[in-house]
Amino acid sequence: MTASQVINPATEQVIATVEPTGAAAVDAAIERAHRAAAGWREVAPGDRARLLRRFADAVDADLERLAALEVANSGHTLGNARWEAGNVRDLLHFAAGMPERLLGHQIPVAGGVDITFHEPLGVVGVIVPWNFPMPIAGWGFAPALAAGNTVVLKPAELTPLTALRLAELALEAGLPADVLQVLPGSGAVIGARFVTHPAVRKVVFTGSTEVGKQVMAGCAAQVKRVTLELGGKSANIVFADSDLERAAATAPYGVFDNAGQDCCARSRILVQRSVFDRFLELMEPAVRGLRVGDPAAEETEMGPLISAAHRAKVAGYIEPATKVAFTGACPEGPGFWYPPTVVLPDGPQDRLVREEIFGPVVAVLPFEDEAEAIAMANDTEYGLSGSIWTGDVGRALRVSRAVESGNLSVNSHSSVRYWTPFGGFKQSGLGRELGPDAALAFTETKNVFLAS
Ligand code: NDP
């Protein structure tokens, strides 16, 4: 098996080589995880919590190194990469509060006592994409470990370095061997084996809707538990009664963050027709002013795309007939650069409006009234995220309730907090991650009746 090269997308330089995990080694790792699960589930909740806190402290002590590694491997801006490492640290602290709070019920019955238990599943397989290697790894492993499971984790082939470092930190923090194993290499070999191996009791997959459907179909063969976080084509709905200056000035951050390689990207901006032209006028300087360049520089706001192939895919959406309203600047190269691009699509059926581009391209469309805004927002197979900009509280509530999406923010572009639930409607996914019930999703509920 040949080692695969890890490329810095901002320089196109090889920064590391990684040995991919072969099929036999994947099976061996799953079997080790299965054996380790028997011991890990018996670790007293308080001790499991203490180990997770030590792991969080190790991430904190290593935060600058993890961030620098992500900047080099993924082209994330330094500010974002620091936030991402901090997100794993904070989530581990949050997860450390879970083992002692996996409370069952005592249910009134005649002739005895009825009790429920939340038992760990065993081995959990986590499949991570390249767009947010650290947080998405953490969202899988932190609550799974808290609930008493062991984890085998496959990072994306393009971005394995921070996940490998997190596994080292877990060991340094004192987590027992084989409780968290990171297996770099191919999705077709490793991810697919998580789906078929009977000792893996749950698969957590984040990535494309297409591969997510294959994972779900594979899991169905064993009625294996599965959580899917898939694509998005989220709407940023701007009403005429909103604070238009703020909505327009912040819209670029709602879609161009991480160069648009974000399942929560608000890649459709729907603007009430009466303020459509004004909104674009206000948004233009914010887009042109975005600082795109060296992701390691403190002031940079947007880095490169992940690979040459991905840039070609993104560029393929902009055809000669596409109406480009305006673009921002980006470096010439080397590096897989693509400028922030605002397009005026050819109506709601245009593929710029329908498909997840996963790059810094946003389509802006007009709507007439609230009913049309809701209909347009819902006219998609996806339902992950979105924003609603309005000064009317009643409208904020009506529209939030009517939009078919798992995560909405009003007068804001934020999507993710580790203590609130995250997941998609429709083809954006299945199940929820994060939030107060995150650990429960990694347990089976057992009901026991004791006769008196
Ligand atoms: P994929 O869905 O192919 O990859 C996501 C993860 O799944 C990777 O770790 C990948 O491994 C793994 N994988 C691939 N094939 C299988 C399989 N048969 N069984 C199990 N796991 C598998 O996404 P891509 O990286 O190819 O990106 C393609 C498009 O998907 C993007 O352009 C974007 O539109 C969308 N996407 C959406 C994401 C989201 O967060 N919603 C995240 C990433 C992509 P490997 O690294 O070997 O490919």
Side-chain angles (χ1 to χ4, degrees):
M1 198 159 308
T2 51
S4 52
Q5 294 184 327
V6 180
I7 310 283
N8 179 332
T11 63
E12 302 184 33
Q13 300 292 312
V14 176
I15 53 168
T17 53
V18 172
E19 230 28 79
T21 318
V26 177
D27 277 12
I30 293 171
E31 278 142 32
R32 284 198 304 276
H34 179 62
R35 287 194 293 276
W40 181 241
R41 62 179 285 154
E42 297 304 330
V43 172
D47 292 336
R48 224 186 292 148
R50 223 179 332 276
L51 285 168
L52 291 173
R53 280 194 198 96
R54 274 202 219 140
F55 187 6
D57 290 343
V59 171
D60 192 48
D62 207 57
L63 194 132
E64 286 300 321
R65 180 171 167 189
L66 282 165
L69 212 50
E70 202 65 279
V71 169
N73 190 172
S74 305
H76 290 193
T77 63
L78 187 55
N80 279 5
R82 284 184 180 132
W83 181 90
E84 290 157 18
N87 182 260
V88 177
R89 172 202 58 208
D90 295 346
L91 177 57
L92 281 164
H93 277 301
F94 182 59
M98 295 174 187
E100 289 151 320
R101 290 196 182 82
L102 276 171
L103 306 178
H105 289 105
Q106 181 270 311
I107 299 169
V109 287
V113 177
D114 196 282
I115 332 170
T116 60
F117 298 89
H118 296 298
E119 298 194 343
L121 301 167
V123 181
V124 173
V126 180
I127 303 172
V128 179
W130 46 260
N131 62 328
F132 287 109
M134 278 192 280
I136 294 174
W139 301 358
F141 69 63
L145 295 173
N149 303 279
T150 55
V151 172
V152 283
L153 184 145
K154 193 208 93 66
E157 277 182 288
L158 293 170
T159 56
L161 300 186
T162 47
L164 288 165
R165 180 69 191 138
L166 286 168
E168 285 172 6
L169 292 171
L171 276 180
E172 285 169 29
L175 264 79
D178 304 326
V179 163
L180 172 61
Q181 298 177 74
V182 171
L183 314 178
S186 140
V189 174
I190 306 164
R193 189 60 180 141
F194 291 175
V195 171
T196 57
H197 198 298
V200 176
R201 295 295 166 81
K202 175 166 181 165
V203 174
V204 178
F205 172 86
T206 305
S208 62
T209 298
E210 191 192 340
V211 176
K213 287 177 184 172
Q214 291 170 28
V215 167
M216 187 173 175
C219 286
Q222 294 172 27
V223 197
K224 187 172 288 192
R225 279 66 179 139
V226 63
T227 298
L228 304 171
E229 299 292 358
L230 309 176
K233 193 71 190 176
S234 298
N236 179 8
I237 309 172
V238 183
F239 287 96
D241 63 12
S242 65
D243 176 346
L244 207 61
E245 277 77 14
R246 198 154 73 87
T250 58
Y253 301 96
V255 61
F256 299 141
D257 198 40
N258 204 26
Q261 303 165 121
D262 180 350
C263 50
C264 290
R266 278 82 168 149
S267 53
R268 296 181 294 153
I269 304 183
L270 313 179
V271 186
Q272 197 150 18
R273 195 180 293 279
S274 58
V275 293
F276 187 80
D277 292 341
R278 178 76 187 128
F279 178 86
L280 283 173
E281 269 172 35
L282 289 167
M283 188 182 172
E284 183 170 350
V287 172
R288 291 196 190 281
L290 273 177
R291 292 182 293 254
V292 183
D294 178 8
E298 292 280 351
E299 67 280 5
T300 298
E301 294 173 297
M302 191 181 117
L305 294 175
I306 190 66
S307 66
H310 190 56
R311 180 176 56 184
K313 182 189 157 196
V314 171
Y317 277 92
I318 308 298
E319 292 161 358
T322 305
K323 260 186 258 160
V324 175
F326 43 86
T327 67
C330 75
E332 289 281 307
F336 309 126
W337 304 101
Y338 199 81
T341 303
V342 178
V343 297
L344 303 175
D346 209 9
Q349 296 311 315
D350 192 319
R351 72 185 192 123
L352 290 160
V353 180
R354 307 215 71 80
E355 296 177 21
E356 182 179 49
I357 300 172
F358 225 58
V361 177
V362 65
V364 191
L365 298 100
F367 67 85
E368 295 299 336
D369 55 17
E370 192 175 304
E372 193 184 20
I374 292 166
M376 286 170 74
N378 287 339
D379 183 17
T380 167
E381 68 200 23
Y382 296 115
L384 188 56
S385 188
S387 293
I388 298 151
W389 290 81
T390 176
D392 177 338
V393 175
R395 166 171 282 160
L397 195 55
R398 279 194 305 278
V399 179
S400 317
R401 297 301 302 271
V403 172
E404 297 167 329
S405 174
N407 300 81
L408 290 163
S409 44
V410 175
N411 298 331
S412 153
H413 291 302
S414 73
S415 301
V416 178
R417 279 162 223 86
Y418 58 82
W419 62 99
T420 63
F422 178 76
F425 279 33
K426 301 194 279 188
Q427 293 191 35
S428 283
L430 185 75
R432 292 292 177 273
E433 295 187 281
L434 305 176
D437 299 329
L440 269 185
F442 293 97
T443 65
E444 293 285 9
T445 300
K446 180 178 282 177
N447 192 72
V448 175
F449 170 72
L450 287 95
S452 54

